[in-house]
Amino acid sequence: MSRENEPVQHTSELRNSREDRETKTLGELVTEIWDVRVLLAAENDHGMGNIETVDVKKGSADQQALADLQAAAACIRQGQTVAFPTETVYGLGADARSTAAVEAVFVAKGRPSDNPLIVHIAQRDQLDALVTEVNETAEALMAAFWPGPLTLVLPVRPGAVSPRVTAGLDTVAVRMPDHPVALQLIAAAACPVAAPSANRSGRPSPTLASHVREDLDGRIGGIVDGGPTGVGVESTVVQVGDDGTVTILRPGGITAEQLSAVAARVATDPALLAEGADGVGSPAPRSPGMKYTHYAPAGALCVVEGPPAAVAAWISAALAEAAQRGERTAVLAFAEHAEQYRADAVFSLGDASELEEAARRLYAALRSCDEQGATYIVAEACSREGLGAAVMNRLLKAAGNQLIQVGNQQPS
């Protein structure tokens, strides 16, 4: 929803508890914590290789971390839920073949069941057991971007995964993460791993193990702590047509420009441009993130777009009015402008010209708004080119599509 120079109705009341949206009661679990960060140092030095053959001569810490990773993999094989790091955000993994395991993911997250899940694999040959067809363009995309933050929606092989993974669709979303811990965990689990982001549904996605623990401690089997994630926003989700057209269903870590270097034609799904704030009445989503408000802090959030001077003036005035109402205020701004704002908390997203940093910082900033008790939050918009498409998509989802356009500026 876009409105020219029109204030949004804000409230100091926090959003209703997301526990109220659950349809099942989850018994308290003991969530194991496996700290395997030492393996990342080993990987940087020598490469992790296969989990069975990693050099562990450096000491007992390496051996313990490897044993912990095997324990986490065993939990997945036994039908439990395990959070783990990828290069984008932390995922909450379960055996994609087991309906009971996948249902435990939905319950832990409080996630709507008509939202499909992404299946993670560790080797290319795992894909053949999951899908019936991979066309030439899809193969080219995998060669260019796997492992990496690209998810492909492909025709599902009947019976290959639980129907809860596909949400009743005839397709399945698959990716190969570019993170050594994720790849080793999936390989050790010896099964395809369905894994949405490891957060309560609607909350900002987790980029640290501590974020996962904050949301899901006592609700899942375990957390593999692999340190901070890299990209910060989720994978790009695409579907390749019979004619080779690549349609972006969700913008993410691979940009449209990067896809265009491989595919002859790249398009954006019309649902991305027309989706409403709550997804009510929209068709069943073909991709995670196409429906419902996501990534949201507890306080009311809006995004302001336009020429920098007009944006700064609008935000400054809105912050002053909110403070007079007794709101606790926060701003997500780019480094060039952050110092001019007067709010209870100001979070820099880095330079506006370097949106990779904004992607890495975004979810942590949204979570910090909650830590600061912010009830009124304003975010500067960014360019929608390149990675900016993903950053703006997540910001608008977090804001329930509350976009303020100032200075007669139209979306770029």
Side-chain angles (χ1 to χ4, degrees):
M1 166 167 61
S2 294
R3 295 175 292 189
E4 181 71 24
N5 294 334
E6 181 183 346
V8 178
Q9 294 296 320
H10 293 282
T11 176
S12 61
E13 296 181 2
L14 302 183
R15 290 188 177 91
N16 290 333
S17 170
R18 289 164 179 88
E19 274 84 0
D20 293 341
R21 295 203 298 250
E22 292 183 14
T23 58
K24 294 178 68 177
T25 299
L26 187 70
E28 186 76 6
L29 298 174
V30 176
T31 301
E32 297 284 346
I33 308 294
W34 299 290
D35 189 341
V36 301
R37 286 174 291 177
V38 66
L39 294 180
L40 295 176
E43 190 270 342
N44 290 335
D45 290 341
H46 305 294
M48 284 181 67
N50 187 281
I51 195 168
E52 302 292 342
T53 60
V54 175
D55 182 4
V56 295
K57 295 179 181 179
K58 290 179 66 177
S60 60
D62 291 352
Q63 297 181 45
Q64 182 60 56
L66 287 170
D68 286 346
L69 204 53
Q70 287 284 15
C75 284
I76 292 176
R77 288 197 302 274
Q78 293 162 8
Q80 298 186 48
T81 51
V82 173
F84 62 94
T86 75
E87 81 281 23
T88 57
V89 300
Y90 273 74
L92 179 59
D95 185 343
R97 304 166 301 181
S98 167
T99 293
V102 173
E103 285 180 344
V105 170
F106 283 106
V107 172
K109 285 177 60 69
R111 182 185 177 97
S113 60
D114 67 343
N115 222 355
L117 305 182
I118 293 174
V119 176
H120 294 62
I121 60 176
Q123 294 95 21
R124 168 62 179 84
D125 58 12
Q126 286 182 279
L127 184 65
D128 297 329
L130 299 175
V131 305
T132 59
E133 180 185 358
V134 182
N135 67 25
E136 206 171 295
T137 302
E139 288 283 5
L141 291 174
M142 288 186 287
F145 302 115
W146 277 14
L150 179 70
T151 294
L152 290 166
V153 174
L154 299 164
V156 66
R157 187 176 295 278
V161 297
S162 165
R164 296 300 300 275
V165 169
T166 61
L169 301 175
D170 60 1
T171 55
V172 62
V174 186
R175 90 175 186 100
M176 186 187 297
D178 188 16
H179 194 291
V181 168
L183 292 173
Q184 299 295 0
L185 177 66
I186 296 165
C191 66
V193 175
S197 56
N199 56 302
R200 296 302 305 280
S201 187
R203 289 274 291 145
S205 296
T207 54
L208 294 170
S210 60
H211 296 160
V212 182
R213 192 166 189 174
E214 176 186 344
D215 278 10
L216 300 178
D217 190 23
R219 306 180 65 84
I220 62 176
I223 301 169
V224 177
D225 185 351
T229 60
V231 177
V233 294
E234 294 83 355
S235 62
T236 301
V237 181
V238 302
Q239 188 164 21
V240 182
D242 293 337
D243 63 353
T245 298
V246 175
T247 300
I248 298 173
L249 305 181
R250 180 182 75 183
I254 299 297
T255 68
E257 292 79 2
Q258 289 174 294
L259 293 170
S260 295
V262 176
R265 182 169 182 269
V266 176
T268 299
D269 192 289
L272 275 178
L273 306 176
E275 61 186 352
D278 57 9
V280 174
S282 61
R286 290 185 289 160
S287 160
M290 291 188 74
K291 195 173 182 181
Y292 310 106
T293 297
H294 288 281
Y295 324 114
L301 168 67
C302 68
V303 182
V304 185
E305 182 175 48
V311 168
W314 194 97
I315 291 178
S316 295
L319 289 172
E321 292 176 7
Q324 289 182 348
R325 294 194 303 268
E327 304 269 13
R328 185 162 179 83
T329 58
V331 183
L332 278 63
F334 291 94
E336 296 90 332
H337 322 127
E339 291 186 358
Q340 66 185 296
Y341 295 123
R342 298 293 175 263
D344 294 303
V346 178
F347 301 99
S348 173
L349 297 177
D351 292 344
S353 61
E354 298 178 4
L355 294 180
E356 292 81 4
E357 189 64 26
R360 282 191 289 270
R361 295 186 185 188
L362 176 60
Y363 291 142
L366 290 173
R367 285 180 172 268
S368 293
C369 287
D370 287 352
E371 293 170 6
Q372 296 290 328
T375 59
Y376 180 90
I377 310 163
V378 188
E380 292 184 341
C382 67
S383 165
R384 303 189 191 212
E385 299 298 317
L387 196 55
V391 173
M392 280 294 289
N393 173 268
R394 304 313 192 269
L395 270 174
L396 290 173
K397 282 285 188 180
N401 282 349
Q402 295 290 334
L403 176 65
I404 307 299
Q405 294 173 354
V406 297
N408 298 315
Q409 175 78 5
Q410 297 299 316
S412 55

